[in-house]
Amino acid sequence: MGNPDQNHQTKEIEQLQALYKQLYGTEVTANAMNCMGGQGQGIGKMMSLESLQNSPNFDQELLQGMIQHQQMSVNMAKKASETATVPQIRDFAQAIIKTQTAQIQKLQQLSPSES
């Protein structure tokens, strides 16, 4: 059946891709998707599967990395909701803030270092 949070993120990504195509008449470039997917310079430096696999504190580092990842999404969405000129982008940013903030709270509840 899958993870509900993962399914929600997949849906958000698909919505963003559709909105991008609607607004700009083209697909999101592979380079942009790699960067947002954690394989580029930003998120990938924070947490990589390779570093996690070798970590003695896998669970703790996973939670910390995911919290940072979700917080970056919230920060980007806040900026977008303040500065975007396209109403659909502002609306989508507000939805991201709501869902990602809830996910951060869940992750923090699981993290012993955040208790």
CSV table of all heavy atoms in Angstrom, one decimal, residues 62-114:
chain,number,residue,atom,x,y,z
A,62,LEU,N,18.9,9.7,10.3
A,62,LEU,CA,17.8,9.7,9.4
A,62,LEU,C,16.8,10.8,9.8
A,62,LEU,O,16.4,11.6,9.0
A,62,LEU,CB,17.2,8.4,9.2
A,62,LEU,CG,15.9,8.3,8.3
A,62,LEU,CD1,16.3,8.6,6.9
A,62,LEU,CD2,15.2,7.0,8.5
A,63,LEU,N,16.4,10.7,11.0
A,63,LEU,CA,15.4,11.7,11.5
A,63,LEU,C,15.9,13.1,11.4
A,63,LEU,O,15.2,14.0,11.0
A,63,LEU,CB,15.0,11.3,13.0
A,63,LEU,CG,14.1,10.1,13.1
A,63,LEU,CD1,13.9,9.8,14.6
A,63,LEU,CD2,12.8,10.2,12.5
A,64,GLN,N,17.1,13.3,11.8
A,64,GLN,CA,17.7,14.7,11.8
A,64,GLN,C,17.7,15.2,10.3
A,64,GLN,O,17.4,16.3,10.0
A,64,GLN,CB,19.1,14.7,12.4
A,64,GLN,CG,19.0,14.6,13.9
A,64,GLN,CD,20.4,14.5,14.5
A,64,GLN,OE1,21.4,14.4,13.8
A,64,GLN,NE2,20.5,14.5,15.8
A,65,GLY,N,18.2,14.3,9.4
A,65,GLY,CA,18.3,14.7,8.0
A,65,GLY,C,16.9,15.0,7.4
A,65,GLY,O,16.7,16.0,6.7
A,66,MET,N,15.9,14.2,7.8
A,66,MET,CA,14.6,14.4,7.2
A,66,MET,C,14.0,15.7,7.8
A,66,MET,O,13.3,16.4,7.1
A,66,MET,CB,13.7,13.2,7.5
A,66,MET,CG,14.1,11.9,6.7
A,66,MET,SD,14.1,12.2,4.9
A,66,MET,CE,12.4,12.6,4.6
A,67,ILE,N,14.2,15.9,9.1
A,67,ILE,CA,13.7,17.2,9.6
A,67,ILE,C,14.3,18.4,8.9
A,67,ILE,O,13.6,19.3,8.5
A,67,ILE,CB,14.0,17.3,11.1
A,67,ILE,CG1,13.1,16.2,11.9
A,67,ILE,CG2,13.7,18.7,11.7
A,67,ILE,CD1,13.5,16.0,13.3
A,68,GLN,N,15.6,18.4,8.7
A,68,GLN,CA,16.3,19.4,7.9
A,68,GLN,C,15.7,19.6,6.5
A,68,GLN,O,15.4,20.7,6.0
A,68,GLN,CB,17.8,19.2,7.9
A,68,GLN,CG,18.5,19.4,9.2
A,68,GLN,CD,19.9,19.0,9.1
A,68,GLN,OE1,20.4,18.5,8.1
A,68,GLN,NE2,20.6,19.2,10.2
A,69,HIS,N,15.5,18.4,5.9
A,69,HIS,CA,14.9,18.4,4.5
A,69,HIS,C,13.5,19.1,4.5
A,69,HIS,O,13.3,19.9,3.6
A,69,HIS,CB,14.9,17.0,4.0
A,69,HIS,CG,14.2,16.8,2.7
A,69,HIS,ND1,14.7,17.1,1.5
A,69,HIS,CD2,13.0,16.3,2.4
A,69,HIS,CE1,13.9,16.8,0.5
A,69,HIS,NE2,12.8,16.3,1.1
A,70,GLN,N,12.7,18.6,5.4
A,70,GLN,CA,11.3,19.2,5.5
A,70,GLN,C,11.3,20.7,5.8
A,70,GLN,O,10.6,21.4,5.2
A,70,GLN,CB,10.5,18.4,6.5
A,70,GLN,CG,10.4,16.9,6.3
A,70,GLN,CD,9.5,16.6,5.1
A,70,GLN,OE1,9.1,17.4,4.3
A,70,GLN,NE2,9.2,15.3,5.0
A,71,GLN,N,12.3,21.1,6.7
A,71,GLN,CA,12.3,22.5,7.1
A,71,GLN,C,12.8,23.3,5.9
A,71,GLN,O,12.3,24.5,5.7
A,71,GLN,CB,13.3,22.7,8.2
A,71,GLN,CG,13.3,24.1,8.8
A,71,GLN,CD,11.9,24.5,9.3
A,71,GLN,OE1,11.3,23.8,10.2
A,71,GLN,NE2,11.3,25.6,8.8
A,72,MET,N,13.7,22.8,5.0
A,72,MET,CA,14.1,23.5,3.8
A,72,MET,C,12.8,23.7,2.9
A,72,MET,O,12.7,24.8,2.3
A,72,MET,CB,15.1,22.8,3.0
A,72,MET,CG,16.5,22.9,3.6
A,72,MET,SD,17.8,22.0,2.7
A,72,MET,CE,17.7,22.8,1.1
A,73,SER,N,12.0,22.7,2.8
A,73,SER,CA,10.8,22.8,2.0
A,73,SER,C,9.9,23.9,2.5
A,73,SER,O,9.3,24.7,1.8
A,73,SER,CB,10.0,21.5,2.0
A,73,SER,OG,10.8,20.5,1.3
A,74,VAL,N,9.7,23.9,3.9
A,74,VAL,CA,8.8,24.9,4.5
A,74,VAL,C,9.4,26.3,4.2
A,74,VAL,O,8.7,27.3,3.9
A,74,VAL,CB,8.7,24.7,6.0
A,74,VAL,CG1,8.0,25.8,6.7
A,74,VAL,CG2,7.9,23.4,6.2
A,75,ASN,N,10.7,26.5,4.4
A,75,ASN,CA,11.3,27.8,4.2
A,75,ASN,C,11.1,28.3,2.8
A,75,ASN,O,10.8,29.5,2.5
A,75,ASN,CB,12.8,27.8,4.6
A,75,ASN,CG,13.1,27.5,6.0
A,75,ASN,OD1,12.2,27.7,6.9
A,75,ASN,ND2,14.3,27.2,6.4
A,76,MET,N,11.3,27.4,1.8
A,76,MET,CA,11.2,27.7,0.4
A,76,MET,C,9.7,28.1,0.1
A,76,MET,O,9.4,29.1,-0.6
A,76,MET,CB,11.6,26.6,-0.5
A,76,MET,CG,13.1,26.4,-0.5
A,76,MET,SD,13.6,24.9,-1.4
A,76,MET,CE,13.0,25.2,-3.1
A,77,ALA,N,8.8,27.3,0.7
A,77,ALA,CA,7.4,27.6,0.5
A,77,ALA,C,6.9,28.9,1.1
A,77,ALA,O,6.1,29.6,0.5
A,77,ALA,CB,6.5,26.4,1.1
A,78,LYS,N,7.5,29.3,2.3
A,78,LYS,CA,7.2,30.5,2.9
A,78,LYS,C,7.6,31.7,2.0
A,78,LYS,O,6.9,32.7,1.8
A,78,LYS,CB,7.8,30.7,4.3
A,78,LYS,CG,7.1,29.9,5.3
A,78,LYS,CD,7.8,30.0,6.7
A,78,LYS,CE,7.1,29.2,7.8
A,78,LYS,NZ,7.8,29.2,9.1
A,79,LYS,N,8.8,31.6,1.5
A,79,LYS,CA,9.3,32.6,0.5
A,79,LYS,C,8.4,32.7,-0.7
A,79,LYS,O,8.1,33.8,-1.1
A,79,LYS,CB,10.8,32.3,0.2
A,79,LYS,CG,11.4,33.4,-0.7
A,79,LYS,CD,11.5,34.7,0.1
A,79,LYS,CE,12.3,35.7,-0.8
A,79,LYS,NZ,12.3,37.0,-0.1
A,80,ALA,N,8.0,31.5,-1.2
A,80,ALA,CA,7.2,31.5,-2.4
A,80,ALA,C,5.8,32.1,-2.1
A,80,ALA,O,5.3,32.9,-2.9
A,80,ALA,CB,7.0,30.1,-2.9
A,81,SER,N,5.2,31.8,-0.9
A,81,SER,CA,3.9,32.4,-0.6
A,81,SER,C,4.0,33.9,-0.4
A,81,SER,O,3.0,34.6,-0.7
A,81,SER,CB,3.3,31.7,0.6
A,81,SER,OG,4.0,32.1,1.8
A,82,GLU,N,5.1,34.4,-0.1
A,82,GLU,CA,5.3,35.9,0.1
A,82,GLU,C,5.6,36.6,-1.2
A,82,GLU,O,5.2,37.8,-1.4
A,82,GLU,CB,6.4,36.2,1.1
A,82,GLU,CG,6.2,35.7,2.5
A,82,GLU,CD,7.4,35.7,3.3
A,82,GLU,OE1,8.5,36.2,2.8
A,82,GLU,OE2,7.3,35.3,4.5
A,83,THR,N,6.3,35.9,-2.2
A,83,THR,CA,6.8,36.7,-3.3
A,83,THR,C,6.2,36.2,-4.7
A,83,THR,O,6.4,36.9,-5.7
A,83,THR,CB,8.3,36.6,-3.4
A,83,THR,OG1,8.7,35.2,-3.5
A,83,THR,CG2,9.0,37.2,-2.2
A,84,ALA,N,5.6,35.0,-4.7
A,84,ALA,CA,5.1,34.5,-6.0
A,84,ALA,C,4.0,35.4,-6.6
A,84,ALA,O,3.2,35.9,-5.8
A,84,ALA,CB,4.6,33.1,-5.9
A,85,THR,N,4.0,35.6,-7.9
A,85,THR,CA,3.0,36.5,-8.5
A,85,THR,C,1.9,35.6,-9.1
A,85,THR,O,0.8,36.1,-9.4
A,85,THR,CB,3.6,37.3,-9.6
A,85,THR,OG1,4.3,36.5,-10.6
A,85,THR,CG2,4.6,38.3,-9.0
A,86,VAL,N,2.1,34.3,-9.2
A,86,VAL,CA,1.1,33.4,-9.8
A,86,VAL,C,0.3,32.8,-8.6
A,86,VAL,O,0.9,32.2,-7.7
A,86,VAL,CB,1.8,32.3,-10.6
A,86,VAL,CG1,0.8,31.3,-11.1
A,86,VAL,CG2,2.6,32.9,-11.7
A,87,PRO,N,-1.0,33.1,-8.6
A,87,PRO,CA,-1.9,32.6,-7.5
A,87,PRO,C,-1.7,31.1,-7.2
A,87,PRO,O,-1.7,30.7,-6.1
A,87,PRO,CB,-3.3,33.0,-7.9
A,87,PRO,CG,-3.1,34.1,-8.9
A,87,PRO,CD,-1.8,33.8,-9.6
A,88,GLN,N,-1.6,30.3,-8.3
A,88,GLN,CA,-1.5,28.8,-8.1
A,88,GLN,C,-0.3,28.5,-7.3
A,88,GLN,O,-0.3,27.5,-6.5
A,88,GLN,CB,-1.5,28.1,-9.4
A,88,GLN,CG,-2.8,28.2,-10.2
A,88,GLN,CD,-2.6,29.3,-11.3
A,88,GLN,OE1,-2.1,30.4,-11.1
A,88,GLN,NE2,-3.1,28.9,-12.5
A,89,ILE,N,0.8,29.2,-7.5
A,89,ILE,CA,2.1,28.9,-6.8
A,89,ILE,C,1.9,29.4,-5.4
A,89,ILE,O,2.3,28.6,-4.5
A,89,ILE,CB,3.2,29.7,-7.5
A,89,ILE,CG1,3.5,29.0,-8.9
A,89,ILE,CG2,4.5,29.6,-6.6
A,89,ILE,CD1,4.6,29.7,-9.7
A,90,ARG,N,1.3,30.5,-5.1
A,90,ARG,CA,1.1,30.9,-3.7
A,90,ARG,C,0.2,29.9,-3.0
A,90,ARG,O,0.5,29.5,-1.8
A,90,ARG,CB,0.4,32.3,-3.6
A,90,ARG,CG,1.4,33.4,-4.0
A,90,ARG,CD,0.8,34.8,-3.6
A,90,ARG,NE,-0.5,35.0,-4.1
A,90,ARG,CZ,-0.8,35.6,-5.2
A,90,ARG,NH1,0.1,36.1,-6.0
A,90,ARG,NH2,-2.1,35.8,-5.6
A,91,ASP,N,-0.9,29.4,-3.6
A,91,ASP,CA,-1.8,28.5,-3.0
A,91,ASP,C,-1.0,27.1,-2.7
A,91,ASP,O,-1.2,26.5,-1.7
A,91,ASP,CB,-3.0,28.2,-3.9
A,91,ASP,CG,-3.9,29.4,-4.0
A,91,ASP,OD1,-3.8,30.3,-3.2
A,91,ASP,OD2,-4.7,29.4,-4.9
A,92,PHE,N,-0.2,26.7,-3.7
A,92,PHE,CA,0.5,25.5,-3.5
A,92,PHE,C,1.5,25.6,-2.4
A,92,PHE,O,1.7,24.7,-1.6
A,92,PHE,CB,1.2,25.1,-4.8
A,92,PHE,CG,1.7,23.7,-4.8
A,92,PHE,CD1,0.9,22.6,-4.9
A,92,PHE,CD2,3.1,23.4,-4.6
A,92,PHE,CE1,1.3,21.3,-4.9
A,92,PHE,CE2,3.6,22.1,-4.5
A,92,PHE,CZ,2.7,21.1,-4.7
A,93,ALA,N,2.2,26.8,-2.3
A,93,ALA,CA,3.2,27.0,-1.2
A,93,ALA,C,2.5,26.9,0.1
A,93,ALA,O,3.0,26.3,1.1
A,93,ALA,CB,3.8,28.4,-1.4
A,94,GLN,N,1.3,27.5,0.3
A,94,GLN,CA,0.6,27.4,1.5
A,94,GLN,C,0.2,25.9,1.9
A,94,GLN,O,0.3,25.6,3.1
A,94,GLN,CB,-0.7,28.2,1.5
A,94,GLN,CG,-0.5,29.7,1.4
A,94,GLN,CD,0.1,30.2,2.7
A,94,GLN,OE1,-0.2,29.8,3.8
A,94,GLN,NE2,1.1,31.2,2.6
A,95,ALA,N,-0.1,25.1,0.9
A,95,ALA,CA,-0.4,23.7,1.2
A,95,ALA,C,0.9,23.0,1.6
A,95,ALA,O,0.8,22.1,2.5
A,95,ALA,CB,-1.0,23.1,-0.1
A,96,ILE,N,2.0,23.3,1.0
A,96,ILE,CA,3.3,22.7,1.4
A,96,ILE,C,3.6,23.1,2.8
A,96,ILE,O,4.0,22.2,3.6
A,96,ILE,CB,4.4,23.1,0.4
A,96,ILE,CG1,4.2,22.4,-0.9
A,96,ILE,CG2,5.8,22.8,1.0
A,96,ILE,CD1,5.1,22.8,-2.0
A,97,ILE,N,3.4,24.3,3.2
A,97,ILE,CA,3.7,24.7,4.5
A,97,ILE,C,2.9,23.9,5.5
A,97,ILE,O,3.5,23.4,6.5
A,97,ILE,CB,3.5,26.3,4.7
A,97,ILE,CG1,4.5,27.1,3.9
A,97,ILE,CG2,3.5,26.7,6.2
A,97,ILE,CD1,4.1,28.5,3.7
A,98,LYS,N,1.7,23.7,5.2
A,98,LYS,CA,0.8,23.0,6.2
A,98,LYS,C,1.2,21.5,6.3
A,98,LYS,O,1.4,21.0,7.4
A,98,LYS,CB,-0.7,23.1,5.7
A,98,LYS,CG,-1.7,22.4,6.5
A,98,LYS,CD,-3.1,22.6,6.0
A,98,LYS,CE,-4.1,21.8,6.9
A,98,LYS,NZ,-5.4,21.9,6.4
A,99,THR,N,1.4,20.9,5.2
A,99,THR,CA,1.7,19.4,5.2
A,99,THR,C,3.1,19.2,5.7
A,99,THR,O,3.3,18.2,6.5
A,99,THR,CB,1.5,18.7,3.8
A,99,THR,OG1,2.4,19.4,2.9
A,99,THR,CG2,0.1,18.8,3.4
A,100,GLN,N,4.1,20.0,5.3
A,100,GLN,CA,5.5,19.7,5.7
A,100,GLN,C,5.7,20.0,7.2
A,100,GLN,O,6.4,19.4,7.9
A,100,GLN,CB,6.5,20.5,4.9
A,100,GLN,CG,6.4,20.2,3.4
A,100,GLN,CD,7.0,18.8,3.1
A,100,GLN,OE1,7.8,18.3,3.8
A,100,GLN,NE2,6.6,18.3,1.9
A,101,THR,N,5.0,21.1,7.7
A,101,THR,CA,5.1,21.4,9.1
A,101,THR,C,4.5,20.3,10.0
A,101,THR,O,5.1,19.9,11.0
A,101,THR,CB,4.3,22.7,9.4
A,101,THR,OG1,4.9,23.8,8.7
A,101,THR,CG2,4.3,23.1,10.9
A,102,ALA,N,3.4,19.7,9.5
A,102,ALA,CA,2.9,18.5,10.2
A,102,ALA,C,3.8,17.3,10.2
A,102,ALA,O,4.0,16.6,11.2
A,102,ALA,CB,1.5,18.1,9.6
A,103,GLN,N,4.5,17.1,9.1
A,103,GLN,CA,5.5,16.0,9.0
A,103,GLN,C,6.7,16.3,9.9
A,103,GLN,O,7.2,15.4,10.5
A,103,GLN,CB,5.9,15.9,7.5
A,103,GLN,CG,4.8,15.3,6.7
A,103,GLN,CD,5.2,15.1,5.2
A,103,GLN,OE1,6.3,15.5,4.8
A,103,GLN,NE2,4.3,14.6,4.4
A,104,ILE,N,7.1,17.6,10.0
A,104,ILE,CA,8.2,17.9,10.9
A,104,ILE,C,7.8,17.6,12.3
A,104,ILE,O,8.6,17.0,13.1
A,104,ILE,CB,8.6,19.4,10.7
A,104,ILE,CG1,9.3,19.6,9.4
A,104,ILE,CG2,9.5,19.8,11.9
A,104,ILE,CD1,9.5,21.1,9.1
A,105,GLN,N,6.6,17.9,12.7
A,105,GLN,CA,6.2,17.6,14.1
A,105,GLN,C,6.2,16.1,14.3
A,105,GLN,O,6.6,15.7,15.4
A,105,GLN,CB,4.8,18.2,14.3
A,105,GLN,CG,4.8,19.7,14.3
A,105,GLN,CD,3.4,20.4,14.3
A,105,GLN,OE1,2.4,19.7,14.0
A,105,GLN,NE2,3.4,21.7,14.6
A,106,LYS,N,5.7,15.3,13.4
A,106,LYS,CA,5.8,13.9,13.5
A,106,LYS,C,7.2,13.4,13.7
A,106,LYS,O,7.5,12.5,14.6
A,106,LYS,CB,5.2,13.2,12.3
A,106,LYS,CG,3.7,13.1,12.2
A,106,LYS,CD,3.3,12.3,11.0
A,106,LYS,CE,1.9,12.5,10.6
A,106,LYS,NZ,1.5,11.7,9.4
A,107,LEU,N,8.1,13.8,12.9
A,107,LEU,CA,9.5,13.4,12.9
A,107,LEU,C,10.1,13.8,14.3
A,107,LEU,O,10.9,13.1,14.9
A,107,LEU,CB,10.3,14.0,11.8
A,107,LEU,CG,10.0,13.4,10.4
A,107,LEU,CD1,10.6,14.3,9.3
A,107,LEU,CD2,10.5,12.0,10.3
A,108,GLN,N,9.8,15.0,14.8
A,108,GLN,CA,10.3,15.5,16.0
A,108,GLN,C,9.8,14.6,17.2
A,108,GLN,O,10.6,14.4,18.1
A,108,GLN,CB,10.0,17.0,16.3
A,108,GLN,CG,10.8,17.9,15.4
A,108,GLN,CD,10.4,19.3,15.4
A,108,GLN,OE1,9.3,19.7,15.7
A,108,GLN,NE2,11.4,20.2,15.2
A,109,GLN,N,8.6,14.1,17.1
A,109,GLN,CA,8.1,13.3,18.1
A,109,GLN,C,8.8,11.9,18.2
A,109,GLN,O,9.0,11.3,19.2
A,109,GLN,CB,6.6,13.0,17.9
A,109,GLN,CG,5.7,14.2,18.2
A,109,GLN,CD,4.3,14.0,17.7
A,109,GLN,OE1,3.9,13.0,17.1
A,109,GLN,NE2,3.4,15.0,18.0
A,110,LEU,N,9.3,11.5,17.0
A,110,LEU,CA,10.0,10.2,16.9
A,110,LEU,C,11.5,10.4,17.4
A,110,LEU,O,12.1,9.4,17.7
A,110,LEU,CB,10.0,9.7,15.5
A,110,LEU,CG,8.7,9.2,14.9
A,110,LEU,CD1,8.8,9.0,13.4
A,110,LEU,CD2,8.2,8.0,15.7
A,111,SER,N,12.0,11.6,17.3
A,111,SER,CA,13.4,11.8,17.5
A,111,SER,C,13.7,12.0,19.0
A,111,SER,O,13.3,12.9,19.6
A,111,SER,CB,13.9,13.0,16.7
A,111,SER,OG,15.2,13.3,17.0
A,112,PRO,N,14.5,11.1,19.6
A,112,PRO,CA,14.9,11.2,21.0
A,112,PRO,C,15.7,12.5,21.3
A,112,PRO,O,15.6,13.0,22.4
A,112,PRO,CB,15.8,10.0,21.3
A,112,PRO,CG,16.0,9.3,20.0
A,112,PRO,CD,15.2,9.9,18.9
A,113,SER,N,16.4,13.0,20.3
A,113,SER,CA,17.2,14.2,20.5
A,113,SER,C,16.3,15.4,20.6
A,113,SER,O,16.8,16.5,21.0
A,113,SER,CB,18.3,14.3,19.5
A,113,SER,OG,17.7,14.6,18.2
A,114,GLU,N,15.1,15.3,20.1
A,114,GLU,CA,14.2,16.5,20.0
A,114,GLU,C,13.3,16.5,21.2
A,114,GLU,O,12.5,17.4,21.4
A,114,GLU,CB,13.4,16.5,18.7
A,114,GLU,CG,14.2,16.6,17.5
A,114,GLU,CD,14.8,18.0,17.3
A,114,GLU,OE1,14.2,19.0,17.8
A,114,GLU,OE2,15.9,18.1,16.8
